[in-house]
Amino acid sequence: MLLDDVEWLVERQEPHLGRVQLVRADGERQRVSFRFLVNHPRCRPSSRTAAEGANRGRQLASWSDVKPEKRPLMEQRFAHLMEINCGFRSGDPFRPEPGEPRPEYDPDRTTLTERREAKAAELSALRPEEAKLLLGVAHVGARTLERWEKRRRKYGIVGCADHRWLRSSGGHPSISD
């Protein structure tokens, strides 16, 4: 993290005390509260340690990384997001399904927020067991749809998958294996 344009490393977190131990490159240590960091006007994440930087060099997840039994759930999520975005579950206005676009998802008559809220209401009307079966979660609200869309834009259809649906990595095999 950068604090007053000086890079610090969080050496230890003490959540039960509400503070962290910071260490600077020259070895200087400083213990500060979470409140101090949150409210400090010149505290920001370092580009070298930001969450996005943690995955540098790793291969992105692909269709084949999603467990086969979870792919239909991912496809359902994708179809709902496409209906929100353009009014067509396929995402292609040149290949509409019968009755598409439905009035509440017609981009010519509604805003993105209205379409998202309509989809949240539609999915909330499902029984929790039914939603879990169709989408992998018992409840879907507008904020959930926003998070799914953000990941879909970044990673494509695989962004619609829950990270727990991806196959586990090969780990770090030891020499004795």
Side-chain angles (χ1 to χ4, degrees), residues 105-126:
Y105 301 112
D106 187 347
D108 294 334
R109 293 195 248 165
T110 58
T111 65
L112 178 61
T113 301
E114 290 171 334
R115 295 192 302 271
R116 190 176 292 128
E117 288 171 356
K119 182 58 74 173
E122 176 186 327
L123 297 176
S124 292
L126 298 172

Side-chain angles (χ1 to χ4, degrees), residues 11 35 72 82-83 91 100 108 110 117 145 147 156:
E11 183 178 58
R35 176 178 284 184
M82 291 297 95
E83 189 169 31
E100 283 188 332
D108 294 334
T110 58
E117 288 171 356
L145 293 169
R147 283 193 304 272

Side-chain angles (χ1 to χ4, degrees), residues 51-77:
E52 291 300 317
N55 285 333
R56 270 188 299 229
R58 289 190 186 157
Q59 181 176 333
L60 295 175
S62 69
W63 176 266
S64 60
D65 291 322
V66 179
K67 295 175 184 171
E69 67 274 12
K70 299 296 185 182
R71 290 177 188 160
L73 299 174
M74 178 180 66
E75 291 170 333
Q76 274 293 325
R77 288 180 176 188

